[in-house]
């Protein structure tokens, strides 16, 4: 019995000694302090964001005669030229998968054509610009890869609701001074048109809260600007950019 108590006393003394204790706490798992020192993941792609920006673009059109009862020769309009205009867009982007995004937006879209004539002796001037203005509702599916700096490529459709055509006309008055008049026209146009579009560019995330994007985009209007009784069929197109900011919500 004395031997049993002696052995038990020796075992307790050894188990309480520093050397013995330190030997017992060695395990395969890393210490908690080392786990805390491990760095967080450098970048986490946002699942939902809002974006807003402007879209400078060179715009022009295809124009042809509306075959049938209402058609007319294109005449001097063959000499119209395109022009740069700026539009605006905002919307939301939602992640479908790790690499695919869905964009739903709303914007103010414009496209324009110009014409200019001046006689050799400068006693006759006739210049005008036609600016077609729409509310737009772009829908895009985009593919992206990369982290803070990512490649972006997308395709989509843009339904547009016609607002008006602003026509500015410059002529000479009786004193041979140039005079400009502006007209707002709403009759004779299709109220609903739709564009097809494709885009490619880059997105840059500055931190987990916001970033910027710079994207080249081409658009082509699939439907005629004018109604069925108009003498012409007009399909505008645009080649330009989308530049703006993005704010991450999730």
């Amino acid at each position: 019995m004395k031997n049993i108590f002696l052995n038990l006393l020796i075992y307790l003394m050894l188990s309480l000694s520093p050397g013995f204790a330190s030997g017992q706490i060695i395990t395969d798992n890393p210490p908690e302090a080392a786990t805390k020192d491990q760095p967080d993941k450098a970048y986490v792609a946002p699942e939902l964001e809002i974006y807003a920006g402007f879209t400078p673009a060179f715009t022009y059109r295809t124009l042809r005669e509306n075959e049938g009862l209402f058609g007319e020769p294109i005449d001097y309009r063959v000499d119209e030229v395109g022009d740069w205009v700026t539009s605006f867009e905002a919307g939301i982007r939602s992640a479908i998968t790790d690499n695919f995004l869905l964009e739903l937006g709303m914007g103010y879209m414009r496209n324009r054509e110009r014409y200019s004539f001046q006689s050799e002796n400068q006693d006759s001037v006739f210049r005008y610009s036609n600016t077609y203005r729409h509310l737009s509702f772009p829908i895009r599916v985009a593919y992206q890869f990369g982290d803070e700096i990512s490649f972006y490529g997308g395709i989509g459709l843009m339904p547009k609701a016609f607002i008006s055509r602003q026509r500015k006309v410059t002529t000479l008055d009786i004193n041979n001074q140039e005079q400009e008049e502006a007209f707002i026209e709403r009759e004779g146009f299709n109220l609903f048109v739709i564009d097809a579009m494709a885009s490619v560019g880059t997105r840059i995330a500055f931190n987990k809260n916001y970033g910027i994007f710079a994207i080249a985009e081409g658009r082509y209007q699939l439907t005629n600007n004018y109604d069925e009784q108009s003498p012409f069929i007009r399909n505008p197109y645009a080649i330009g950019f989308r530049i703006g900011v993005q704010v991450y919500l999730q």
Side-chain angles (χ1 to χ4, degrees), residues 8-226:
L8 180 59
L9 181 60
I10 294 172
Y11 175 79
L12 290 175
M13 291 176 64
L14 290 174
S15 63
L16 293 176
S17 65
F20 186 86
S22 61
Q24 292 297 313
I25 62 174
I26 296 175
T27 66
D28 294 333
N29 295 325
E32 183 179 354
T35 304
K36 290 182 179 180
D37 291 338
Q38 292 178 354
D40 295 332
K41 187 177 180 181
Y43 177 80
V44 178
E47 295 183 0
L48 184 66
E49 61 189 82
I50 59 175
Y51 70 91
F54 61 99
T55 61
F58 178 80
T59 63
Y60 195 39
R61 84 293 182 273
T62 62
L63 188 70
R64 63 186 188 275
E65 182 180 347
N66 186 7
E67 300 292 342
L69 179 63
F70 303 103
E72 294 180 6
I74 296 176
D75 199 16
Y76 65 88
R77 293 196 63 178
V78 72
D79 294 322
E80 291 176 343
V81 296
D83 198 7
W84 281 87
V85 294
T86 300
S87 303
F88 305 93
E89 181 184 328
I92 61 173
R93 295 190 185 109
S94 178
I96 303 175
T97 66
D98 289 342
N99 295 107
F100 284 93
L101 302 171
L102 175 65
E103 289 187 7
L104 302 175
M106 181 175 180
Y108 173 65
M109 285 289 160
R110 303 186 298 169
N111 64 84
R112 181 182 296 150
E113 63 214 5
R114 289 186 179 273
Y115 175 82
S116 180
F117 169 80
Q118 184 171 329
S119 62
E120 292 183 2
N121 57 7
Q122 299 184 357
D123 63 350
S124 177
V125 171
F126 179 51
R127 292 194 297 267
Y128 67 78
S129 67
N130 296 324
T131 304
Y132 300 76
R133 304 182 292 185
H134 297 82
L135 285 178
S136 63
F137 305 91
I139 304 169
R140 300 181 183 89
V141 175
Y143 175 82
Q144 71 165 5
F145 69 85
D147 294 330
E148 288 88 349
I149 300 177
S150 61
F151 166 84
Y152 172 103
I155 57 174
L157 296 174
M158 182 186 292
K160 299 188 299 186
F162 179 71
I163 300 174
S164 65
R165 183 177 76 173
Q166 182 185 57
R167 181 176 175 86
K168 294 182 178 180
V169 181
T170 301
T171 56
L172 295 181
D173 61 17
I174 59 175
N175 298 316
N176 283 336
Q177 300 296 316
E178 291 190 3
Q179 178 179 347
E180 183 182 81
E181 295 182 276
F183 307 91
I184 301 298
E185 303 170 326
R186 294 186 174 89
E187 299 297 327
F189 302 94
N190 276 327
L191 299 180
F192 176 83
V193 293
I194 188 167
D195 287 8
M197 51 194 174
S199 54
V200 61
T202 187
R203 296 175 0 111
I204 301 174
F206 292 136
N207 53 43
K208 65 179 182 180
N209 297 316
Y210 67 93
I212 61 174
F213 60 89
I215 298 169
E217 183 167 82
R219 301 188 299 271
Y220 180 78
Q221 188 172 293
L222 302 175
T223 48
N224 184 14
N225 268 125
Y226 302 127

